[in-house]
Amino acid sequence: MRYELHYWPSIQGRGEFVRLALEEAGAPYLDVGNAPEDEGLGIPALEDYLQGQKTRRPPFAPPFLKAGDEVVSHVANILQFLGPRLDLVPADEESRFWVHGLQLTITDLTAEAHDVHHPVAISLTYEEQQDEARRRAKAFAGERIRTYLSYFERVLGFNPAGDSWLVGERRSYVDLSLFQVVAGLTYAFPNAMRRLAPEIPRVLAVAERVAALPNIAAYLASPRRLAFSENGIFRHYPELDPA
Amino acid sequence: MRYELHYWPSIQGRGEFVRLALEEAGAPYLDVGNAPEDEGLGIPALEDYLQGQKTRRPPFAPPFLKAGDEVVSHVANILQFLGPRLDLVPADEESRFWVHGLQLTITDLTAEAHDVHHPVAISLTYEEQQDEARRRAKAFAGERIRTYLSYFERVLGFNPAGDSWLVGERRSYVDLSLFQVVAGLTYAFPNAMRRLAPEIPRVLAVAERVAALPNIAAYLASPRRLAFSENGIFRHYPELDPA
Protein backbone atom coordinates (compact mmCIF):
# COMPACT_ATOMS: atom_id res chain seq x y z
CA MET A 1 0.00 0.00 0.00
CA ARG A 2 1.14 3.53 -0.73
CA TYR A 3 0.46 5.81 2.23
CA GLU A 4 -0.59 9.41 1.71
CA LEU A 5 0.86 11.98 4.08
CA HIS A 6 -1.22 15.14 4.17
CA TYR A 7 0.63 18.14 5.54
CA TRP A 8 1.33 21.78 4.66
CA PRO A 9 4.00 22.14 1.98
CA SER A 10 7.47 23.67 2.19
CA ILE A 11 8.12 23.11 5.90
CA GLN A 12 9.18 20.18 8.05
CA GLY A 13 6.66 21.07 10.73
CA ARG A 14 4.76 18.32 12.49
CA GLY A 15 4.70 16.31 9.28
CA GLU A 16 8.39 15.59 9.70
CA PHE A 17 7.82 13.16 12.57
CA VAL A 18 5.70 11.08 10.19
CA ARG A 19 8.12 11.42 7.27
CA LEU A 20 10.96 10.08 9.42
CA ALA A 21 8.95 6.97 10.29
CA LEU A 22 7.95 6.30 6.69
CA GLU A 23 11.51 6.87 5.48
CA GLU A 24 13.11 4.65 8.11
CA ALA A 25 10.74 1.84 7.21
CA GLY A 26 11.24 2.34 3.47
CA ALA A 27 7.47 2.58 3.10
CA PRO A 28 6.09 3.95 -0.18
CA TYR A 29 4.30 7.25 0.43
CA LEU A 30 3.00 10.29 -1.36
CA ASP A 31 3.71 13.65 0.27
CA VAL A 32 0.43 15.20 -0.89
CA GLY A 33 1.02 18.76 0.32
CA ASN A 34 4.31 19.02 -1.56
CA ALA A 35 2.89 17.49 -4.76
CA PRO A 36 1.57 19.57 -7.70
CA GLU A 37 -1.86 21.18 -7.51
CA ASP A 38 -2.37 20.65 -11.25
CA GLU A 39 -2.32 16.92 -10.55
CA GLY A 40 -5.12 17.32 -8.03
CA LEU A 41 -2.72 17.35 -5.09
CA GLY A 42 -1.19 20.10 -2.93
CA ILE A 43 -3.15 22.19 -0.45
CA PRO A 44 -6.56 21.86 -2.20
CA ALA A 45 -6.36 18.09 -1.73
CA LEU A 46 -5.78 18.55 2.00
CA GLU A 47 -8.65 21.01 2.25
CA ASP A 48 -11.07 18.49 0.77
CA TYR A 49 -10.46 16.28 3.79
CA LEU A 50 -10.44 19.06 6.37
CA GLN A 51 -13.78 20.33 5.11
CA GLY A 52 -15.36 16.90 5.11
CA GLN A 53 -15.79 16.52 1.36
CA LYS A 54 -13.70 13.36 1.15
CA THR A 55 -14.45 11.84 4.53
CA ARG A 56 -17.18 11.94 7.15
CA ARG A 57 -14.42 11.87 9.75
CA PRO A 58 -12.58 15.12 9.00
CA PRO A 59 -9.33 15.78 10.86
CA PHE A 60 -9.02 18.95 12.91
CA ALA A 61 -5.72 19.87 11.25
CA PRO A 62 -2.78 18.40 9.33
CA PRO A 63 -0.83 16.24 9.52
CA PHE A 64 -3.09 13.32 8.78
CA LEU A 65 -2.37 10.04 7.08
CA LYS A 66 -4.50 8.29 4.54
CA ALA A 67 -4.05 4.50 4.51
CA GLY A 68 -6.46 2.92 2.06
CA ASP A 69 -9.84 4.36 3.03
CA GLU A 70 -8.76 5.16 6.57
CA VAL A 71 -7.82 8.64 7.73
CA VAL A 72 -5.74 8.98 10.92
CA SER A 73 -4.89 12.38 12.41
CA HIS A 74 -2.40 13.76 14.97
CA VAL A 75 1.27 12.87 14.85
CA ALA A 76 1.27 10.53 17.84
CA ASN A 77 -1.84 8.74 16.62
CA ILE A 78 -0.40 8.32 13.12
CA LEU A 79 2.80 6.91 14.57
CA GLN A 80 0.99 4.41 16.76
CA PHE A 81 -1.02 3.40 13.68
CA LEU A 82 2.13 2.94 11.60
CA GLY A 83 4.25 1.41 14.37
CA PRO A 84 3.10 -2.22 14.14
CA ARG A 85 2.56 -2.02 10.36
CA LEU A 86 6.11 -0.81 9.70
CA ASP A 87 7.87 -2.72 12.48
CA LEU A 88 8.71 0.49 14.31
CA VAL A 89 7.50 -0.49 17.77
CA PRO A 90 7.94 -3.49 20.08
CA ALA A 91 5.35 -6.25 19.75
CA ASP A 92 3.94 -6.34 23.28
CA GLU A 93 0.98 -4.16 24.16
CA GLU A 94 2.51 -2.76 27.33
CA SER A 95 5.51 -1.44 25.43
CA ARG A 96 3.22 0.12 22.86
CA PHE A 97 1.39 2.16 25.49
CA TRP A 98 4.75 3.15 26.93
CA VAL A 99 6.13 4.24 23.54
CA HIS A 100 2.93 6.17 22.85
CA GLY A 101 3.20 7.93 26.21
CA LEU A 102 6.77 8.94 25.38
CA GLN A 103 5.59 10.18 21.99
CA LEU A 104 2.90 12.30 23.67
CA THR A 105 5.61 13.86 25.84
CA ILE A 106 7.41 14.79 22.62
CA THR A 107 4.12 16.22 21.34
CA ASP A 108 3.97 18.46 24.41
CA LEU A 109 7.58 19.58 24.03
CA THR A 110 6.98 20.35 20.36
CA ALA A 111 3.91 22.46 21.17
CA GLU A 112 5.87 24.38 23.79
CA ALA A 113 8.72 24.97 21.32
CA HIS A 114 6.20 26.35 18.84
CA ASP A 115 4.57 28.63 21.37
CA VAL A 116 7.89 30.28 22.19
CA HIS A 117 7.53 32.31 19.00
CA HIS A 118 3.73 32.43 19.24
CA PRO A 119 2.92 32.92 22.94
CA VAL A 120 -0.14 35.12 22.34
CA ALA A 121 -1.91 33.84 19.23
CA ILE A 122 -1.19 31.78 16.14
CA SER A 123 -3.23 34.31 14.17
CA LEU A 124 -0.58 36.98 14.83
CA THR A 125 2.93 37.08 13.39
CA TYR A 126 6.03 36.60 15.50
CA GLU A 127 6.81 40.29 15.15
CA GLU A 128 3.44 41.16 16.68
CA GLN A 129 4.24 39.18 19.83
CA GLN A 130 7.98 39.59 20.04
CA ASP A 131 8.05 41.08 23.54
CA GLU A 132 6.04 38.19 24.96
CA ALA A 133 8.17 35.74 22.96
CA ARG A 134 11.35 37.09 24.49
CA ARG A 135 10.00 36.50 27.97
CA ARG A 136 8.70 33.05 27.13
CA ALA A 137 11.96 32.04 25.44
CA LYS A 138 13.85 32.78 28.64
CA ALA A 139 11.70 30.26 30.53
CA PHE A 140 11.66 27.73 27.72
CA ALA A 141 15.38 27.74 26.98
CA GLY A 142 16.29 28.13 30.65
CA GLU A 143 13.95 25.58 32.19
CA ARG A 144 11.65 23.62 29.94
CA ILE A 145 14.15 22.18 27.46
CA ARG A 146 16.15 20.84 30.40
CA THR A 147 13.04 19.42 32.09
CA TYR A 148 12.04 17.51 28.97
CA LEU A 149 15.43 16.32 27.73
CA SER A 150 16.60 15.35 31.23
CA TYR A 151 13.48 13.20 31.41
CA PHE A 152 14.45 11.35 28.23
CA GLU A 153 17.99 11.05 29.58
CA ARG A 154 16.57 9.29 32.66
CA VAL A 155 14.32 7.07 30.54
CA LEU A 156 17.37 5.92 28.57
CA GLY A 157 19.16 5.15 31.82
CA PHE A 158 16.20 3.07 33.00
CA ASN A 159 15.91 0.95 29.85
CA PRO A 160 16.75 -2.61 31.00
CA ALA A 161 17.98 -3.40 27.47
CA GLY A 162 20.59 -0.63 27.65
CA ASP A 163 20.69 3.03 26.70
CA SER A 164 21.11 2.68 22.94
CA TRP A 165 17.41 3.26 22.37
CA LEU A 166 14.51 4.56 24.44
CA VAL A 167 12.55 1.31 24.56
CA GLY A 168 13.90 -2.22 24.19
CA GLU A 169 16.92 -3.08 22.13
CA ARG A 170 15.84 -1.73 18.75
CA ARG A 171 14.94 1.72 17.44
CA SER A 172 11.24 2.53 17.60
CA TYR A 173 9.38 5.48 16.13
CA VAL A 174 9.88 7.53 19.29
CA ASP A 175 13.67 7.41 18.85
CA LEU A 176 13.19 8.97 15.42
CA SER A 177 11.04 11.69 16.99
CA LEU A 178 13.61 12.32 19.71
CA PHE A 179 16.19 12.85 16.96
CA GLN A 180 13.86 15.38 15.34
CA VAL A 181 13.31 17.47 18.48
CA VAL A 182 17.04 17.46 19.24
CA ALA A 183 17.72 18.60 15.65
CA GLY A 184 15.00 21.24 15.86
CA LEU A 185 16.02 22.57 19.25
CA THR A 186 19.68 22.67 18.17
CA TYR A 187 18.66 24.72 15.14
CA ALA A 188 16.44 27.07 17.13
CA PHE A 189 18.39 27.41 20.38
CA PRO A 190 22.05 26.54 19.64
CA ASN A 191 23.35 28.41 22.68
CA ALA A 192 20.89 26.83 25.11
CA MET A 193 21.57 23.39 23.68
CA ARG A 194 25.33 23.86 23.93
CA ARG A 195 24.96 24.71 27.62
CA LEU A 196 22.72 21.70 28.20
CA ALA A 197 24.80 19.16 26.25
CA PRO A 198 26.92 17.88 29.19
CA GLU A 199 23.74 16.88 31.03
CA ILE A 200 22.18 14.82 28.24
CA PRO A 201 24.88 12.60 26.69
CA ARG A 202 22.54 9.64 26.16
CA VAL A 203 19.93 11.77 24.39
CA LEU A 204 22.53 13.26 22.08
CA ALA A 205 23.93 9.81 21.36
CA VAL A 206 20.48 8.52 20.37
CA ALA A 207 20.07 11.48 18.03
CA GLU A 208 23.42 10.63 16.39
CA ARG A 209 22.50 6.96 16.22
CA VAL A 210 19.23 7.79 14.43
CA ALA A 211 20.99 10.11 11.98
CA ALA A 212 23.35 7.24 11.11
CA LEU A 213 20.62 4.69 10.35
CA PRO A 214 21.12 3.96 6.64
CA ASN A 215 17.61 4.89 5.53
CA ILE A 216 17.55 8.03 7.68
CA ALA A 217 21.02 9.08 6.55
CA ALA A 218 19.91 8.71 2.93
CA TYR A 219 16.75 10.69 3.62
CA LEU A 220 18.58 13.51 5.39
CA ALA A 221 20.92 13.83 2.39
CA SER A 222 18.03 13.86 -0.09
CA PRO A 223 16.00 16.83 -1.36
CA ARG A 224 12.97 15.35 0.43
CA ARG A 225 14.42 16.58 3.74
CA LEU A 226 13.29 20.20 3.76
CA ALA A 227 15.39 22.77 5.59
CA PHE A 228 14.51 24.20 8.97
CA SER A 229 13.17 27.72 8.57
CA GLU A 230 11.40 30.55 10.31
CA ASN A 231 8.08 29.26 8.92
CA GLY A 232 8.22 26.02 10.87
CA ILE A 233 7.88 24.93 14.47
CA PHE A 234 11.56 25.23 15.42
CA ARG A 235 12.61 28.77 14.52
CA HIS A 236 15.94 30.43 15.06
CA TYR A 237 15.57 34.02 16.22
CA PRO A 238 18.92 35.07 17.72
CA GLU A 239 17.21 37.43 20.16
CA LEU A 240 15.46 34.41 21.73
CA ASP A 241 18.69 32.48 22.30
CA PRO A 242 21.26 34.76 23.94
CA ALA A 243 24.82 33.51 24.37
CA MET B 1 -9.22 -5.03 39.23
CA ARG B 2 -9.03 -1.78 41.12
CA TYR B 3 -7.39 0.93 39.04
CA GLU B 4 -5.15 3.53 40.64
CA LEU B 5 -5.43 7.07 39.33
CA HIS B 6 -2.34 9.13 40.15
CA TYR B 7 -2.92 12.86 39.94
CA TRP B 8 -2.32 16.00 41.98
CA PRO B 9 -4.83 16.40 44.82
CA SER B 10 -7.51 19.06 45.32
CA ILE B 11 -8.09 20.01 41.68
CA GLN B 12 -10.01 18.53 38.77
CA GLY B 13 -7.18 19.27 36.35
CA ARG B 14 -6.29 16.76 33.68
CA GLY B 15 -7.14 13.94 36.06
CA GLU B 16 -10.81 14.77 35.67
CA PHE B 17 -10.97 13.36 32.14
CA VAL B 18 -9.89 10.02 33.57
CA ARG B 19 -12.20 10.23 36.58
CA LEU B 20 -15.20 10.77 34.31
CA ALA B 21 -14.39 7.62 32.33
CA LEU B 22 -13.91 5.51 35.46
CA GLU B 23 -17.09 6.88 37.01
CA GLU B 24 -19.23 6.38 33.91
CA ALA B 25 -18.08 2.77 33.69
CA GLY B 26 -18.61 2.17 37.40
CA ALA B 27 -15.04 0.91 37.62
CA PRO B 28 -13.46 0.56 41.07
CA TYR B 29 -10.58 2.98 41.45
CA LEU B 30 -8.38 4.58 44.05
CA ASP B 31 -7.72 8.32 43.64
CA VAL B 32 -4.19 8.12 45.04
CA GLY B 33 -3.38 11.83 45.09
CA ASN B 34 -6.46 12.63 47.15
CA ALA B 35 -5.88 9.75 49.59
CA PRO B 36 -4.09 10.14 52.95
CA GLU B 37 -0.32 10.38 53.09
CA ASP B 38 -0.27 8.52 56.41
CA GLU B 39 -1.61 5.49 54.55
CA GLY B 40 1.31 5.68 52.11
CA LEU B 41 -0.74 7.51 49.50
CA GLY B 42 -1.03 11.16 48.45
CA ILE B 43 1.70 13.11 46.67
CA PRO B 44 4.63 11.02 48.00
CA ALA B 45 3.11 7.94 46.36
CA LEU B 46 2.98 9.77 43.02
CA GLU B 47 6.55 10.98 43.39
CA ASP B 48 7.80 7.42 43.83
CA TYR B 49 6.61 6.68 40.30
CA LEU B 50 7.77 9.96 38.77
CA GLN B 51 11.26 9.46 40.17
CA GLY B 52 11.49 5.89 38.94
CA GLN B 53 11.53 4.18 42.33
CA LYS B 54 8.42 2.11 41.63
CA THR B 55 8.80 1.60 37.89
CA ARG B 56 11.54 1.57 35.30
CA ARG B 57 9.11 3.34 32.97
CA PRO B 58 8.51 6.60 34.86
CA PRO B 59 5.83 8.95 33.52
CA PHE B 60 6.80 12.51 32.64
CA ALA B 61 3.96 13.94 34.71
CA PRO B 62 0.59 13.09 36.25
CA PRO B 63 -2.00 11.95 35.47
CA PHE B 64 -0.99 8.35 35.08
CA LEU B 65 -2.93 5.19 35.67
CA LYS B 66 -1.74 2.06 37.37
CA ALA B 67 -3.51 -1.09 36.19
CA GLY B 68 -2.01 -4.13 37.85
CA ASP B 69 1.72 -3.78 37.19
CA GLU B 70 1.22 -1.55 34.16
CA VAL B 71 1.66 2.24 34.26
CA VAL B 72 0.05 4.31 31.50
CA SER B 73 0.57 8.06 31.24
CA HIS B 74 -1.08 10.99 29.42
CA VAL B 75 -4.84 11.50 29.47
CA ALA B 76 -5.48 10.43 25.89
CA ASN B 77 -3.31 7.34 26.27
CA ILE B 78 -5.02 6.37 29.53
CA LEU B 79 -8.41 6.75 27.90
CA GLN B 80 -7.50 4.61 24.92
CA PHE B 81 -6.18 2.02 27.37
CA LEU B 82 -9.41 2.07 29.37
CA GLY B 83 -11.76 2.39 26.40
CA PRO B 84 -12.00 -1.28 25.37
CA ARG B 85 -11.66 -2.53 28.95
CA LEU B 86 -14.57 -0.41 30.19
CA ASP B 87 -16.73 -0.54 27.05
CA LEU B 88 -16.24 3.17 26.43
CA VAL B 89 -15.26 3.00 22.77
CA PRO B 90 -16.60 1.28 19.63
CA ALA B 91 -15.20 -2.17 18.89
CA ASP B 92 -13.71 -1.61 15.43
CA GLU B 93 -10.10 -0.48 15.14
CA GLU B 94 -10.82 2.31 12.67
CA SER B 95 -13.27 3.95 15.10
CA ARG B 96 -10.73 3.66 17.90
CA PHE B 97 -8.13 5.62 15.95
CA TRP B 98 -10.83 8.17 15.13
CA VAL B 99 -11.91 8.52 18.77
CA HIS B 100 -8.28 8.84 19.85
CA GLY B 101 -7.71 11.57 17.26
CA LEU B 102 -10.72 13.46 18.61
CA GLN B 103 -9.38 13.02 22.14
CA LEU B 104 -6.01 14.46 21.07
CA THR B 105 -7.84 17.49 19.70
CA ILE B 106 -9.38 17.92 23.15
CA THR B 107 -5.87 17.57 24.60
CA ASP B 108 -4.75 20.47 22.43
CA LEU B 109 -7.74 22.61 23.38
CA THR B 110 -7.12 21.89 27.05
CA ALA B 111 -3.46 22.89 26.79
CA GLU B 112 -4.44 26.14 25.05
CA ALA B 113 -7.02 26.87 27.76
CA HIS B 114 -4.33 26.36 30.40
CA ASP B 115 -1.84 28.58 28.65
CA VAL B 116 -4.29 31.50 28.62
CA HIS B 117 -3.43 32.11 32.26
CA HIS B 118 0.18 30.94 31.83
CA PRO B 119 1.33 32.27 28.45
CA VAL B 120 4.93 32.90 29.55
CA ALA B 121 5.93 30.14 31.96
CA ILE B 122 4.32 27.60 34.25
CA SER B 123 7.02 28.43 36.80
CA LEU B 124 5.54 31.93 37.20
CA THR B 125 2.22 32.82 38.83
CA TYR B 126 -0.70 34.18 36.86
CA GLU B 127 -0.13 37.58 38.45
CA GLU B 128 3.40 37.64 37.08
CA GLN B 129 2.16 37.21 33.50
CA GLN B 130 -1.17 38.99 33.67
CA ASP B 131 -0.49 41.46 30.85
CA GLU B 132 0.44 38.66 28.47
CA ALA B 133 -2.54 36.64 29.68
CA ARG B 134 -4.92 39.45 28.86
CA ARG B 135 -3.67 39.58 25.30
CA ARG B 136 -3.74 35.83 24.89
CA ALA B 137 -7.25 35.58 26.37
CA LYS B 138 -8.55 37.93 23.70
CA ALA B 139 -7.33 35.58 20.97
CA PHE B 140 -8.37 32.42 22.80
CA ALA B 141 -11.88 33.54 23.72
CA GLY B 142 -12.37 35.38 20.44
CA GLU B 143 -11.01 32.82 18.01
CA ARG B 144 -9.71 29.55 19.36
CA ILE B 145 -12.71 28.38 21.39
CA ARG B 146 -14.86 28.88 18.31
CA THR B 147 -12.38 27.07 16.06
CA TYR B 148 -12.33 24.03 18.32
CA LEU B 149 -15.98 23.79 19.32
CA SER B 150 -17.20 24.50 15.78
CA TYR B 151 -15.06 21.57 14.71
CA PHE B 152 -16.82 19.26 17.17
CA GLU B 153 -20.15 20.71 16.02
CA ARG B 154 -19.28 19.64 12.47
CA VAL B 155 -18.10 16.22 13.60
CA LEU B 156 -21.48 15.67 15.26
CA GLY B 157 -23.22 16.69 12.06
CA PHE B 158 -21.15 14.19 10.08
CA ASN B 159 -21.81 11.21 12.35
CA PRO B 160 -23.79 8.76 10.17
CA ALA B 161 -25.45 7.38 13.32
CA GLY B 162 -26.87 10.80 14.21
CA ASP B 163 -25.72 13.73 16.32
CA SER B 164 -26.46 12.35 19.76
CA TRP B 165 -22.84 11.33 20.27
CA LEU B 166 -19.54 12.11 18.55
CA VAL B 167 -18.89 8.59 17.26
CA GLY B 168 -21.44 5.89 16.53
CA GLU B 169 -24.70 5.53 18.40
CA ARG B 170 -23.38 5.23 21.96
CA ARG B 171 -21.40 7.48 24.25
CA SER B 172 -17.67 6.94 24.13
CA TYR B 173 -14.96 8.38 26.36
CA VAL B 174 -14.49 11.37 24.08
CA ASP B 175 -18.09 12.48 24.71
CA LEU B 176 -17.28 12.56 28.41
CA SER B 177 -14.21 14.67 27.68
CA LEU B 178 -16.22 17.03 25.48
CA PHE B 179 -18.59 17.53 28.41
CA GLN B 180 -15.61 18.39 30.61
CA VAL B 181 -14.17 21.03 28.29
CA VAL B 182 -17.61 22.61 27.82
CA ALA B 183 -18.05 22.69 31.60
CA GLY B 184 -14.56 24.09 32.10
CA LEU B 185 -14.83 26.73 29.39
CA THR B 186 -18.25 27.78 30.67
CA TYR B 187 -16.76 28.22 34.14
CA ALA B 188 -13.72 30.14 32.87
CA PHE B 189 -15.22 32.17 30.05
CA PRO B 190 -18.98 32.50 30.68
CA ASN B 191 -19.33 35.58 28.50
CA ALA B 192 -17.48 34.12 25.55
CA MET B 193 -19.42 30.87 25.82
CA ARG B 194 -22.74 32.73 25.96
CA ARG B 195 -21.87 34.53 22.74
CA LEU B 196 -20.80 31.28 21.07
CA ALA B 197 -23.79 29.18 22.22
CA PRO B 198 -26.03 29.77 19.17
CA GLU B 199 -23.33 28.33 16.90
CA ILE B 200 -22.78 25.08 18.77
CA PRO B 201 -26.18 23.60 19.67
CA ARG B 202 -25.09 19.99 19.08
CA VAL B 203 -22.01 20.34 21.28
CA LEU B 204 -24.03 21.83 24.12
CA ALA B 205 -26.63 19.07 23.75
CA VAL B 206 -23.94 16.40 24.06
CA ALA B 207 -22.65 18.09 27.20
CA GLU B 208 -26.16 18.00 28.68
CA ARG B 209 -26.62 14.40 27.59
CA VAL B 210 -23.40 13.38 29.34
CA ALA B 211 -24.36 15.23 32.53
CA ALA B 212 -27.64 13.30 32.54
CA LEU B 213 -26.06 9.82 32.27
CA PRO B 214 -27.02 8.18 35.57
CA ASN B 215 -23.48 7.36 36.70
CA ILE B 216 -22.18 10.77 35.68
CA ALA B 217 -25.10 12.58 37.32
CA ALA B 218 -24.43 10.68 40.55
CA TYR B 219 -20.73 11.51 40.34
CA LEU B 220 -21.32 15.21 39.69
CA ALA B 221 -23.56 15.34 42.77
CA SER B 222 -21.01 13.54 44.94
CA PRO B 223 -18.10 14.98 46.97
CA ARG B 224 -15.73 13.19 44.61
CA ARG B 225 -16.44 15.87 41.99
CA LEU B 226 -14.08 18.63 43.06
CA ALA B 227 -15.01 22.24 42.32
CA PHE B 228 -13.46 24.27 39.53
CA SER B 229 -10.98 26.73 40.97
CA GLU B 230 -8.19 29.13 40.13
CA ASN B 231 -5.66 26.38 40.82
CA GLY B 232 -6.85 24.21 37.95
CA ILE B 233 -6.69 24.31 34.17
CA PHE B 234 -9.93 26.20 33.59
CA ARG B 235 -9.71 29.38 35.66
CA HIS B 236 -12.18 32.21 35.90
CA TYR B 237 -10.48 35.58 35.95
CA PRO B 238 -13.13 38.21 35.09
CA GLU B 239 -10.53 40.44 33.44
CA LEU B 240 -9.89 37.68 30.87
CA ASP B 241 -13.55 37.35 29.90
CA PRO B 242 -15.02 40.79 29.25
CA ALA B 243 -18.77 41.12 28.64
Side-chain angles (χ1 to χ4, degrees):
Chain A
M1 158 163 35
R2 186 174 72 162
Y3 294 101
E4 287 183 18
L5 168 64
H6 290 249
Y7 191 64
W8 306 122
S10 309
I11 58 168
Q12 291 185 17
R14 288 183 171 80
E16 194 66 10
F17 297 101
V18 182
R19 286 192 197 99
L20 287 166
L22 293 163
E23 293 279 350
E24 166 59 9
Y29 73 100
L30 176 65
D31 192 335
V32 175
N34 283 304
E37 290 191 18
D38 58 16
E39 294 176 19
L41 302 168
I43 292 178
L46 272 68
E47 296 283 4
D48 284 347
Y49 286 90
L50 295 173
Q51 289 161 15
Q53 286 158 344
K54 289 274 186 75
T55 173
R56 291 182 71 98
R57 294 180 162 181
F60 178 71
F64 53 95
L65 185 83
K66 189 155 175 286
D69 287 337
E70 192 162 354
V71 176
V72 180
S73 74
H74 291 267
V75 168
N77 200 22
I78 294 168
L79 292 176
Q80 77 167 353
F81 176 88
L82 289 175
R85 288 164 175 81
L86 301 182
D87 191 24
L88 288 173
V89 75
D92 63 295
E93 193 199 52
E94 188 168 341
S95 292
R96 290 183 181 176
F97 279 102
W98 169 234
V99 171
H100 190 56
L102 293 173
Q103 187 67 43
L104 289 170
T105 302
I106 285 184
T107 299
D108 291 344
L109 167 53
T110 303
E112 288 191 31
H114 171 273
D115 285 2
V116 169
H117 49 78
H118 277 75
V120 173
I122 61 165
S123 58
L124 301 174
T125 64
Y126 164 63
E127 287 72 20
E128 291 171 312
Q129 48 199 311
Q130 200 170 352
D131 291 344
E132 293 89 347
R134 211 180 287 251
R135 227 183 138 201
R136 181 163 176 137
K138 197 174 165 191
F140 181 73
E143 303 163 15
R144 298 300 285 170
I145 296 180
R146 169 178 282 112
T147 300
Y148 278 106
L149 295 188
S150 299
Y151 169 72
F152 286 104
E153 185 75 12
R154 290 197 303 129
V155 167
L156 284 162
F158 277 126
N159 184 356
D163 61 6
S164 293
W165 306 106
L166 283 163
V167 182
E169 53 195 13
R170 292 182 64 211
R171 93 282 181 259
S172 60
Y173 63 73
V174 72
D175 295 299
L176 310 179
S177 293
L178 184 62
F179 156 79
Q180 177 64 11
V181 294
V182 168
L185 292 170
T186 302
Y187 171 80
F189 304 98
N191 289 320
M193 286 297 281
R194 201 172 303 119
R195 285 190 293 273
L196 187 58
E199 299 175 35
I200 53 166
R202 294 183 181 111
V203 166
L204 297 178
V206 168
E208 286 184 21
R209 214 166 275 126
V210 168
L213 291 167
N215 284 356
I216 296 294
Y219 168 63
L220 295 177
S222 80
R224 299 191 302 286
R225 172 72 168 186
L226 304 168
F228 284 111
S229 79
E230 282 54 65
N231 295 313
I233 292 172
F234 299 104
R235 303 189 186 183
H236 179 57
Y237 296 117
E239 64 272 22
L240 301 186
D241 183 47
Chain B
M1 158 162 36
R2 185 175 72 161
Y3 294 101
E4 287 184 18
L5 168 63
H6 290 250
Y7 191 64
W8 306 121
S10 310
I11 58 168
Q12 291 185 16
R14 288 183 170 81
E16 194 65 10
F17 297 101
V18 181
R19 287 192 196 97
L20 287 166
L22 293 164
E23 293 280 348
E24 166 59 9
Y29 72 100
L30 175 64
D31 192 336
V32 175
N34 282 304
E37 290 192 18
D38 58 17
E39 295 176 18
L41 302 169
I43 292 179
L46 272 68
E47 296 282 5
D48 283 347
Y49 286 89
L50 295 174
Q51 290 162 16
Q53 286 158 344
K54 289 276 187 73
T55 173
R56 291 183 70 100
R57 293 180 164 181
F60 179 72
F64 53 92
L65 185 83
K66 189 155 174 286
D69 287 336
E70 191 161 355
V71 176
V72 180
S73 75
H74 292 267
V75 168
N77 200 22
I78 294 168
L79 292 176
Q80 77 167 355
F81 176 86
L82 289 175
R85 288 164 174 81
L86 301 182
D87 191 24
L88 289 173
V89 75
D92 64 294
E93 192 199 52
E94 187 168 342
S95 291
R96 290 183 181 176
F97 279 101
W98 170 231
V99 171
H100 189 56
L102 293 173
Q103 187 67 43
L104 288 170
T105 302
I106 284 182
T107 299
D108 291 344
L109 167 54
T110 303
E112 290 192 28
H114 171 274
D115 285 2
V116 168
H117 49 78
H118 278 75
V120 173
I122 60 166
S123 57
L124 300 174
T125 65
Y126 164 64
E127 287 71 20
E128 291 171 312
Q129 49 198 310
Q130 201 169 352
D131 291 344
E132 292 88 347
R134 212 180 286 251
R135 232 187 134 199
R136 180 160 176 138
K138 198 174 164 191
F140 181 73
E143 302 162 16
R144 298 299 287 169
I145 296 180
R146 169 179 282 112
T147 299
Y148 278 106
L149 295 188
S150 298
Y151 169 72
F152 286 104
E153 185 74 12
R154 292 197 301 130
V155 166
L156 285 162
F158 277 125
N159 184 355
D163 61 6
S164 293
W165 306 107
L166 283 164
V167 181
E169 53 195 12
R170 293 182 64 211
R171 93 283 180 259
S172 60
Y173 62 73
V174 71
D175 295 299
L176 311 179
S177 293
L178 184 61
F179 155 79
Q180 177 65 11
V181 294
V182 168
L185 292 171
T186 303
Y187 171 80
F189 304 97
N191 290 320
M193 287 296 281
R194 203 173 301 119
R195 285 191 294 272
L196 186 59
E199 299 175 34
I200 52 165
R202 293 183 182 111
V203 166
L204 297 177
V206 167
E208 286 185 20
R209 215 167 274 126
V210 168
L213 292 167
N215 284 358
I216 296 293
Y219 168 63
L220 296 177
S222 80
R224 298 190 303 286
R225 171 74 167 184
L226 304 168
F228 284 110
S229 78
E230 282 55 64
N231 295 315
I233 292 172
F234 299 103
R235 303 190 186 182
H236 180 57
Y237 296 117
E239 63 273 21
L240 301 185
D241 183 47

